[in-house]
């Protein structure tokens, strides 16, 4: 394929549901010329409580689908899917750059003054070798308090971003961390930025909250520059969204973001 054709292709982004929209939004803000092809696996969410082999299978299917739609690179906008599948995705499609996500432990230890950080992620992410290697490399002399936030992804996916049950759950997670002296919180699941304002209310103004989405958008820009794959003209293909299940929350989520609205298609599995 010639380079001009590749430049016009979109950036594939996927997640188990709406969470990756927080990343797609950051990519769109930084790279408004680029088309984004987004896939939310809303029929099979949550990933964070499923076995790694199942998540890997889903990631292979979705990546195949996004490549068939003409994605030039793929952002795995899900910490859980990255932990479960990134090396295998890269090995399966060596000609396609895959960008993954992991809890922002490195920036968190830099930001922390107390040496105590709180990490909010899913159970599968916490159990992964990828996460343990992160801790070994960057947080040996720090105290990390982890919580798998059981039930939070489902509340976010249901659009209950500011309701009392969500607030009570977040309080039960964050307050014990604060009382141990945590001064930095890592949003290690792409669904959690949807409840960042609740987290801010609970944590107060002095706590650093780290959402890695802008850093991922910078990484996408670097990769496009490296490959000379930037789209030279604005938004040639437009945005496209697919869901495997319910699309109501996706519609609602898109209203609050700066991503241009577009049709949301139902993906029919073979
Ligand atoms: N958004 C995903 C992540 O970043 C996980 C949500 C899920 O459990 O499906 O880990």
């Amino acid at each position: 394929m010639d380079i001009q054709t590749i430049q016009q292709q979109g950036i594939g982004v996927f997640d188990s549901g709406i969470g990756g929209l927080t990343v797609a939004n950051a990519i769109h803000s930084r790279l408004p010329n680029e088309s984004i092809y987004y896939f939310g696996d809303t029929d099979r969410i949550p990933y964070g409580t499923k076995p790694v082999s199942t998540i890997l299978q889903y990631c292979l299917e979705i990546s195949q689908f996004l490549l068939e739609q003409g994605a030039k690179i793929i952002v795995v906008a899900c910490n859980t899917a990255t932990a479960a599948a990134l090396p295998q995705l890269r090995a399966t499609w060596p000609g396609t750059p895959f960008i993954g996500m992991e809890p922002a432990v490195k920036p968190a230890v830099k930001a922390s003054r107390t040496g105590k950080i709180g990490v909010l992620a899913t159970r599968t992410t916490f159990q992964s070798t990828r996460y343990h290697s992160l801790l070994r490399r960057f947080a040996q002399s720090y105290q990390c308090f982890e919580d798998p936030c059981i039930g939070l992804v489902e509340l976010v996916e249901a659009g209950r971003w500011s309701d009392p049950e969500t607030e009570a759950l977040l309080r039960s997670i964050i307050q014990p961390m604060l009382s141990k002296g945590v001064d930095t919180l890592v949003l290690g699941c792409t669904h959690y930025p949807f409840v960042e304002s609740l987290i801010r209310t609970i944590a107060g103004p002095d706590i650093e909250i780290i959402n890695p989405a802008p850093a991922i958008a910078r990484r996408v820009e670097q990769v496009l520059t490296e490959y000379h794959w930037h789209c030279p003209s604005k938004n040639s293909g437009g945005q496209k969204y697919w869901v495997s299940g319910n699309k109501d929350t996706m519609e609602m989520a898109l209203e609050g973001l700066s991503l241009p609205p577009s049709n949301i298609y139902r993906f029919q599995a073979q």
Side-chain angles (χ1 to χ4, degrees):
M1 205 183 292
D2 64 76
I3 195 147
Q4 281 85 0
T5 310
I6 299 177
Q7 287 170 345
Q8 302 293 330
Q9 292 187 303
I11 297 173
V13 180
F14 77 88
D15 178 45
S16 58
I18 61 168
L21 287 175
T22 58
V23 179
N25 198 46
I27 296 171
H28 175 71
S29 305
R30 189 164 190 99
L31 300 162
N33 275 3
E34 303 296 332
S35 301
I36 291 177
Y37 305 158
Y38 186 87
F39 191 102
D41 201 359
T42 56
D43 191 39
R44 302 189 288 198
I45 196 167
Y47 281 7
T49 50
K50 291 195 168 66
V52 166
S53 56
T54 307
I55 303 168
L56 172 59
Q57 193 48 44
Y58 297 166
C59 293
L60 288 166
E61 281 169 32
I62 296 167
S63 299
Q64 174 73 43
F65 174 77
L66 288 172
L67 290 168
E68 282 164 12
Q69 306 313 309
K72 57 187 167 187
I73 70 175
I74 293 186
V75 180
V76 185
C78 175
N79 296 260
T80 309
T82 300
L86 191 66
Q88 289 87 341
L89 296 175
R90 287 182 171 150
T92 308
W93 291 283
T96 302
F98 280 83
I99 296 171
M101 313 218 24
E102 55 194 14
V105 168
K106 192 179 169 190
V109 300
K110 267 202 195 137
S112 176
R113 288 148 289 135
T114 60
K116 295 177 182 178
I117 66 169
V119 186
L120 313 183
T122 68
R123 198 180 64 195
T124 305
T125 298
F126 285 132
Q127 288 171 346
S128 66
T129 26
R130 195 177 181 94
Y131 179 71
H132 288 282
S133 140
L134 257 184
L135 293 187
R136 241 189 344 269
R137 283 178 293 140
F138 304 113
Q140 292 258 19
S141 47
Y142 291 80
Q143 269 184 286
C144 293
F145 298 91
E146 296 154 358
D147 197 297
C149 305
I150 301 298
L152 185 56
V153 165
E154 288 86 340
L155 287 166
V156 170
E157 198 65 27
R160 295 168 65 185
W161 306 326
S162 53
D163 84 19
E165 196 184 325
T166 311
E167 179 164 359
L169 175 60
L170 282 168
R171 228 173 249 292
S172 74
I173 294 165
I174 292 167
Q175 251 162 6
M177 291 182 172
L178 298 177
S179 60
K180 288 183 180 118
V182 159
D183 67 349
T184 308
L185 289 171
V186 174
L187 305 185
C189 166
T190 53
H191 278 72
Y192 303 164
F194 280 103
V195 289
E196 188 169 342
S197 59
L198 267 188
I199 295 175
R200 170 62 68 209
T201 306
I202 295 163
D206 300 331
I207 299 294
E208 187 83 29
I209 299 173
I210 304 188
N211 170 6
I216 298 299
R218 284 198 298 278
R219 180 71 196 127
V220 171
E221 184 173 37
Q222 278 170 4
V223 170
L224 292 180
T225 304
E226 222 172 276
Y227 283 76
H228 305 285
W229 281 359
H230 280 280
C231 183
S233 55
K234 188 152 173 77
N235 195 17
S236 58
Q239 318 302 322
K240 292 182 185 158
Y241 306 99
W242 288 272
V243 287
S244 57
N246 190 338
K247 59 182 178 181
D248 297 352
T249 316
M250 181 85 92
E251 273 163 4
M252 192 173 134
L254 283 169
E255 274 169 30
L257 300 173
S258 60
L259 280 166
S262 176
N263 285 338
I264 301 172
Y265 301 99
R266 271 299 295 277
F267 165 80
Q268 299 295 352
Q270 302 301 317

